[in-house]
Each structure stands twice: as C-alpha cells, then as structure tokens.
Amino acid sequence: DTSAKVIDGKLVSKQIKDEVAEEVARMKEAIGIVPGLAVILVGSRKDSQTYVRSKKKACEAVGIKSYEANLPEDSTEEDVLKHISAFNNDPSVHGILVQLPLPRHMNEETILNAVSIERDVDGFHPLNIGRLAMQGRYPLFVPCTPKGCMELLHRYGVEIKGKRAVVIGRSNIVGMPAALLLQKANATVSIVHSQTKNPEEITRQADIVISAVGVANLVRGSWIKPGAVVIDVGINPVDDPESPRGYRLVGDVCYEEACEVASAVTPVPGGVGPMTIAMLLSNTLESAKRIHNFK
Amino acid sequence: DTSAKVIDGKLVSKQIKDEVAEEVARMKEAIGIVPGLAVILVGSRKDSQTYVRSKKKACEAVGIKSYEANLPEDSTEEDVLKHISAFNNDPSVHGILVQLPLPRHMNEETILNAVSIERDVDGFHPLNIGRLAMQGRYPLFVPCTPKGCMELLHRYGVEIKGKRAVVIGRSNIVGMPAALLLQKANATVSIVHSQTKNPEEITRQADIVISAVGVANLVRGSWIKPGAVVIDVGINPVDDPESPRGYRLVGDVCYEEACEVASAVTPVPGGVGPMTIAMLLSNTLESAKRIHNFK
Ligand SMILES: NC(=O)C1=CN([C@@H]2O[C@H](COP(=O)(O)OP(=O)(O)OC[C@H]3O[C@@H](n4cnc5c(N)ncnc54)[C@H](OP(=O)(O)O)[C@@H]3O)[C@@H](O)[C@H]2O)C=CC1
Ligand SMILES: NC(=O)C1=CN([C@@H]2O[C@H](COP(=O)(O)OP(=O)(O)OC[C@H]3O[C@@H](n4cnc5c(N)ncnc54)[C@H](OP(=O)(O)O)[C@@H]3O)[C@@H](O)[C@H]2O)C=CC1
C-alpha cells in the first residue's frame, strides 16, 4: 500500500508566513520598526532573477520591506563590497543576502564574509557554522534550507533525539548544516557523499533521511528503511515531453517508491522548496527583533 | 591471535618533535625569530599545573620560547582578558592557550573568544571550527588532539578516503573536530554519543574508530569490525592496588580485546596522549611561520 504521509511544505510554509506577518505587524504597531531585507544580485542569470523576484514578493506579502541592489555581471568585487557595506550600515536593513552563484571573477568567500554577522540571515558565515557545530554554542542564524527541513520534522511531530539520521550530501548550504542540526537535536548522524562506498546500505539504517544531492531518483525505495521519514531537498529537472516547458522538476528521491516504504515523505515540488523562503522571512524578522531588542 | 599492530604515539610524537626542533632552528638561523607560546593558567588545580609544566618542558626541548601567566583562582574575568590582550599584542608570542577548565565564575566562551584567531593554536575559536566544517575552507589551526589522531593515521599509512569512520564522543575539543577532519578527508562519518541507541552495532561497521568518551572499557572487542583501526583518545583512571598510586590509566577501549580483532590500535598511555603536545608545538611553529611569512 502507498501509505506514506505527505509532508506538505506548501501548507507549513503558509502557516509560517502567516505567523511572520502577524509578528511583523505587532512589531510595527509596538515600536514602529519594519524589518528590512536587502538582496544583492550580480549579473543577469535568469534563475537567479527568478529567485530574487520571489524573495521580494514573499517579503511584500508579510510586510517585510525589501531592498535590492542589481549590479552588472562585469562589476568588480569592490563594487559588491561597497554595496554590502552600505547595507551593513543602513539601520532599516536587518538582513542581507547575496544571491549565489556570483560571477566567476569574484571570490565568494571574501564577499560572503563581508556581510555583518548580525545581518547574515543566510547563516553562511563560518562563525555561524562554527557555533552550529559546537556544543553549548548557538548561531545567530541557521541556514534557511536546513532550518526548513528541521521545521518540517518538528511540525509533523517527528522525534529526532536518539534516532538514526542519514544526510546525503554535505554542501555548505544544505547537507553539512542539516547534519549539524540533526546532531544538535541528539540524532545519531551519518553523512553520505560522493565518496561513500555503500550509500544504499547506510541510508537503509536511518529513521530520518535528508537528501540534498542534485541527482534525480538517486534514492530508491530499496534505500529506505520501512517507516522512515524522508526529506527530499533535491530539485532536479528531468525531460518531460508532456510538460509545456519540456521538463519537470523532481527530487533526489524516487517519490512513488518512497511512498510505499516510508512513513512520511516530502514531495518535490511542494516540500522543502517553499520552506526555504519562509525561513528567510523568519530569520529576517528574528534579526530585526534582536537588533531592536523586541520580544 | 593477538595480531593488531600497536600504533606507537610516543615514537611518532618524538619524530614530530624532532621535525619541529629542526624547523625552529632553521627559522632562527634564517630570520632570527624564535616561536613563542604563552600559556595562561588560572587557579591551582594539580592536574592543570602538571599539563602546563609538561607543555613548558616540551617547548624548551624543541627551542620554542614559553611564556606563562599564573593567575589566582579568584581572579576576575577582566584580569584574564587583560593578560590575553597583552599576549595578543606581544610580537614574540605566536601561540596563546588558556588551560581549561577555568574557574566556575568565568565564562569560557568569552575568554576563549578573546584569543586572537591568528594565535589560537588550540583551534577552539568558533571561526576555526566553522572553517573546519566547511567545504573549500580551511582553519588557521586544527585542534591538537584530533590533529594528533589524524597524524597517527597518516603516519601509519591508513587510507581514509571512502572508508567508514565512527567517532564516539562529540565534545568541542576532541570528538566533534575529529569527525569534521575525517569527513574532510572523505571518510563516511557517523557520530556516536550518549543519546545513541545502538552504539555497538554502529561502531562495528567502521573501518576506523576514534573513541573520545572518558569511560574505561566502553568499547569491547565485539564493537570492533575485524581489521579495523582503533584510535583511543580516552584517559581514564581505574583502581589498581598494585600500582604505587593506587590507580592506573586506561583508555575507552578494552585494549586486550581490541588487539584480537583490530588491525591496529593505539595503547593508553603512549598512543594519542603524547601526540597532543607534539601537535601544539607544531601549531605554534606553523603560527610563527605564518606571522613572519617564513616558508
Ligand atoms: N529546496 C531548496 O530550497 C533548495 C534545494 N536545493 C537542491 O538541493 C540539491 C543539492 O544542492 P546543494 O547542496 O547546493 O548541491 P551541491 O552540488 O553543492 O552538493 C551536492 C552534494 O551531494 C553529494 N553527492 C554528489 N553525488 C552524489 C552521489 N551519487 N551520492 C551521494 N552523494 C552525492 C556531493 O558530494 P561531495 O561533497 O563528495 O562532492 C555534495 O556534497 C540540488 O538539487 C539543489 O537544487 C539546494 C538549495 C535549496
Ligand atoms: N589524549 C589526550 O591528549 C586527550 C585525552 N582526552 C580524554 O578523552 C576523553 C574524552 O574527553 P572530552 O572529549 O574532553 O570529554 P567530554 O566529557 O567533553 O565528552 C565526552 C563525549 O562522550 C559522549 N559520551 C558519554 N558517555 C557515552 C557513552 N556511554 N556512549 C557514547 N558516548 C558517550 C558524550 O556524549 P554527549 O555529548 O551526548 O554528552 C560526549 O560527547 C577523556 O577520557 C579525556 O581524558 C581529552 C583531551 C585530550
């Protein structure tokens, strides 16, 4: 029987956005401050423009003010740093994010490190990651996509403490921080990556699987322990002549097979995807509250 | 048959100290700079005094100059911060370490964060840990004990890439950074801790085991996969009426049993223990070289 519960990221993200909107209104009412998010986009990649546009729309929908800096592809690193510095010093800006990827001629590390840690709503600063890794330390911001994965687990009542968890993928923006979060929540975590020899066998031991690889249908039903909870971060285009665009998006997990084995699964689209933006809004609100000491 | 190879940390640490001594001499000869290590000790714990004394002796043996600040138990946090600041600004000091544990009335985080990252030879600063966790980033210093574990694996020719590794324990100073190092070396890493339900079963899957728990004889022969390499960080006193002091030191691993199953094991004492100080000297040398741009 195909009995897995569908973890509805669209629904949960809507709940979170409603909660953020309420808090934004309460804050404005109480102290007259409106949270602000600044997005820096360099170049004119179509996908990046789409992301930036949807972040802007999401801000508007909850009452967060959005600021944008669009720089041409051939800007210098210095141009970008100047804009970051201006946003760092702008009291109406509480979150700053640099849309990745940057043009090749720029050093991503230099640029990301320039974002003041108090406004690093993406949570990518190494100081944040270090605090995430350490016992007894807490980051100012948790990276949005892994935070969204955890939020889905929490809101669906999935117990984490003492459970076996496998994270497939170890990127700085998804896999690695996801593993650190699961471990902070007292799961026993294993990290599978491209050099792992027997990913199927290891993954099959997990009560909780988070996959963030970028390979369509990598995780088959046979990889999943019966009853496991599966969070699929992957967003992968596959050819589909029946779709108007000629392709459709799928996750890393073979969804139909997972539904027959797992107890709960996130679909793609409609699972983790919408959570990422919801968490960005939530991080921006959190930042404004912290900066203005508003509880 | 009890066929495991003994991984001789005493021998390797001696080799490393010889290498450090040679480099210290070459540096002094070439540019007239002598690496300096400052140790801050607060209070009068016997064990801490012993550690500080042995670090000092080890410095002398390789030609590193050692500086010491001994503060009374009832010093204020401010006193300690003042000493750290003085060492941060002293051009003859290339490494600073604060002997832990600090007295209860002090905030360890505040004090450790005051050590300038360029002199944090313990590698405990969250910025260092963040860089250790991130792909494509590298810490200025790797914490000494986990670095010592990796060095033993390297010098005994143990392949890490693609291997399963289990780290038992996840402390900020040993377990967690050890797991990050193994993962950076492309092992597939699982972390076992006090909330793990089936530590034996998980550990038995590992080709490489690093145990840093602090429980004598926790890891039995049955926990170890035949042929695995076992690095035992634990240092635990057990009663021993035959010893003049009434106790002796053992590791986390049941050594005799491990010798029958593993392909190689570190003894306690004489395994990881002596490596920690060797790595501290090596980090101090590295720091002096970096600060003075000496290759
Ligand atoms: N839902 C959302 O909002 C978001 C979705 N994504 C999606 O998540 C996926 C991952 O993104 P991202 O983390 O940025 O990707 P990266 O390419 O940065 O990282 C991919 C990771 O997967 C590992 N990997 C590659 N091939 C395999 C394999 N065959 N088996 C096991 N592991 C493998 C890599 O290992 P190694 O380190 O050894 O190379 C690497 O760690 C993508 O599909 C992306 O589109 C990303 C961000 C947000
Ligand atoms: N050779 C050397 O130079 C050094 C040796 N050591 C020795 O290494 C050992 C560990 O030190 P340290 O890391 O500072 O210790 P901590 O006490 O800080 O950490 C111990 C870790 O072990 C975990 N743990 C506790 N009980 C169990 C259990 N039954 N099963 C699995 N995991 C368990 C804890 O889990 P949780 O996080 O869930 O509480 C914790 O992560 C000690 O014996 C210490 O003396 C330490 C430093 C240097």
Side-chain angles (χ1 to χ4, degrees):
Chain A
D1 62 339
T2 67
S3 62
K5 190 188 292 175
V6 176
I7 297 179
D8 188 342
K10 218 166 154 183
L11 182 75
V12 173
S13 72
K14 203 184 158 318
Q15 287 167 354
I16 292 171
K17 286 179 187 171
D18 288 346
E19 292 161 18
V20 170
E22 222 169 278
E23 283 294 282
V24 167
R26 188 172 71 89
M27 189 171 176
K28 188 174 174 187
E29 171 95 15
I31 61 169
I33 298 286
V34 177
L37 174 69
V39 181
I40 296 169
L41 172 63
V42 188
S44 47
R45 282 176 64 121
K46 281 268 160 350
D47 55 344
S48 293
Q49 288 175 335
T50 307
Y51 291 136
V52 169
R53 206 162 33 234
S54 58
K55 284 167 190 171
K56 207 170 160 173
K57 254 182 60 184
C59 282
E60 279 162 17
V62 299
I64 290 177
K65 200 159 162 37
S66 72
Y67 302 83
E68 213 180 316
N70 288 306
L71 308 182
E73 178 78 25
D74 62 355
S75 313
T76 62
E77 227 172 85
E78 208 146 88
D79 294 331
V80 182
L81 292 175
K82 226 183 293 171
H83 278 84
I84 293 179
S85 164
F87 284 135
N88 278 338
N89 294 309
D90 181 340
S92 54
V93 170
H94 307 96
I96 300 172
L97 78 83
V98 180
Q99 183 65 43
L100 300 179
L102 289 162
R104 296 235 170 162
H105 65 280
M106 293 186 183
N107 184 330
E108 185 182 299
E109 183 172 352
T110 312
I111 287 177
L112 291 185
N113 283 355
V115 173
S116 97
I117 177 142
E118 289 80 18
R119 286 171 182 73
D120 174 34
V121 283
D122 260 340
F124 294 159
H125 196 289
L127 197 51
N128 262 324
I129 298 291
R131 290 187 183 169
L132 192 59
M134 293 171 86
Q135 285 200 309
R137 308 281 178 101
Y138 300 90
L140 286 174
F141 300 101
V142 172
C144 301
T145 302
K147 188 177 178 183
C149 297
M150 297 301 284
E151 195 66 33
L152 287 176
L153 293 173
H154 290 315
R155 300 223 176 190
Y156 277 83
V158 178
E159 220 200 325
I160 298 175
K161 179 173 162 179
K163 300 294 181 202
R164 291 285 305 272
V166 165
V167 178
I168 317 179
R170 53 173 170 174
S171 71
N172 290 343
I173 62 171
V174 192
M176 179 269 289
L180 296 177
L181 283 167
L182 287 165
Q183 135 102 24
K184 237 185 169 105
N186 287 315
T188 299
V189 181
S190 306
I191 301 169
V192 165
H193 50 72
S194 71
Q195 309 299 310
T196 298
K197 293 251 167 72
N198 39 3
E200 173 170 351
E201 186 192 320
I202 298 171
T203 307
R204 200 168 34 227
Q205 297 175 5
D207 305 301
I208 298 166
V209 177
I210 296 184
S211 182
V213 175
V215 175
N217 296 317
L218 175 73
V219 180
R220 307 295 305 257
S222 61
W223 288 41
I224 300 168
K225 176 174 164 176
V229 175
V230 178
I231 306 288
D232 187 356
V233 183
I235 303 180
N236 310 297
V238 292
D239 290 341
D240 179 3
E242 289 182 15
S243 146
R245 292 176 301 185
Y247 70 93
R248 65 198 161 89
L249 298 175
V250 301
D252 294 343
V253 178
C254 192
Y255 185 70
E256 292 72 25
E257 291 182 12
C259 282
E260 289 178 19
V261 190
S263 65
V265 191
T266 59
V268 175
V272 176
M275 293 299 289
T276 300
I277 286 195
M279 292 300 122
L280 176 65
L281 302 174
S282 143
N283 278 355
T284 305
L285 167 66
E286 206 177 301
S287 177
K289 283 183 163 182
R290 180 164 41 222
I291 288 172
H292 295 283
N293 197 19
F294 178 73
K295 312 258 172 212
Chain B
D1 60 341
T2 68
S3 63
K5 190 187 294 175
V6 176
I7 297 181
D8 188 341
K10 217 165 156 184
L11 183 76
V12 174
S13 71
K14 206 185 154 317
Q15 288 167 355
I16 291 170
K17 287 178 186 171
D18 288 347
E19 292 161 17
V20 170
E22 222 169 277
E23 283 293 284
V24 167
R26 188 171 71 87
M27 188 169 175
K28 188 175 175 185
E29 170 94 16
I31 61 170
I33 299 286
V34 177
L37 175 70
V39 181
I40 296 169
L41 172 64
V42 187
S44 48
R45 284 176 63 119
K46 282 267 157 358
D47 55 345
S48 292
Q49 289 174 334
T50 308
Y51 291 135
V52 168
R53 206 160 37 235
S54 59
K55 284 167 190 173
K56 206 170 162 173
K57 254 182 61 186
C59 282
E60 279 162 16
V62 299
I64 290 176
K65 200 158 162 32
S66 70
Y67 302 84
E68 213 178 316
N70 288 307
L71 308 182
E73 180 76 25
D74 62 355
S75 313
T76 62
E77 227 173 84
E78 208 145 87
D79 293 332
V80 181
L81 292 175
K82 227 184 292 170
H83 279 85
I84 293 179
S85 164
F87 283 136
N88 277 339
N89 294 307
D90 183 340
S92 54
V93 170
H94 306 96
I96 299 172
L97 78 85
V98 180
Q99 184 66 43
L100 301 180
L102 288 161
R104 294 236 174 164
H105 65 280
M106 294 188 183
N107 183 330
E108 184 182 302
E109 183 172 351
T110 312
I111 288 177
L112 291 184
N113 284 355
V115 173
S116 96
I117 177 140
E118 289 80 18
R119 286 169 182 74
D120 173 35
V121 284
D122 259 342
F124 293 160
H125 196 290
L127 197 52
N128 262 324
I129 298 292
R131 290 185 183 171
L132 191 58
M134 293 172 86
Q135 284 200 308
R137 307 282 178 99
Y138 300 91
L140 286 173
F141 300 102
V142 173
C144 300
T145 302
K147 188 177 179 183
C149 296
M150 297 301 285
E151 195 67 33
L152 287 176
L153 293 173
H154 289 314
R155 299 225 177 187
Y156 276 82
V158 178
E159 221 201 323
I160 298 174
K161 179 173 162 179
K163 299 293 181 207
R164 289 286 304 271
V166 165
V167 177
I168 315 180
R170 54 174 170 173
S171 71
N172 290 344
I173 62 173
V174 192
M176 180 267 289
L180 296 178
L181 283 166
L182 286 165
Q183 134 102 24
K184 239 187 166 101
N186 287 316
T188 298
V189 181
S190 306
I191 302 168
V192 166
H193 50 72
S194 71
Q195 308 300 309
T196 298
K197 294 252 166 72
N198 39 3
E200 172 170 352
E201 187 192 319
I202 298 171
T203 308
R204 198 166 39 225
Q205 297 175 6
D207 305 301
I208 300 167
V209 177
I210 297 184
S211 183
V213 175
V215 175
N217 295 318
L218 174 73
V219 180
R220 308 296 305 258
S222 61
W223 289 41
I224 299 168
K225 175 175 165 177
V229 174
V230 179
I231 306 290
D232 187 356
V233 182
I235 304 180
N236 310 298
V238 292
D239 289 341
D240 180 4
E242 289 182 15
S243 145
R245 292 175 300 185
Y247 70 92
R248 68 198 158 87
L249 298 175
V250 302
D252 295 341
V253 178
C254 190
Y255 185 69
E256 292 72 26
E257 291 181 12
C259 284
E260 290 178 19
V261 190
S263 65
V265 191
T266 59
V268 175
V272 177
M275 292 298 291
T276 299
I277 286 194
M279 291 301 120
L280 176 64
L281 302 175
S282 144
N283 278 355
T284 305
L285 167 65
E286 207 177 299
S287 177
K289 282 183 163 183
R290 182 165 38 221
I291 289 172
H292 295 284
N293 197 20
F294 179 72
K295 313 253 171 213

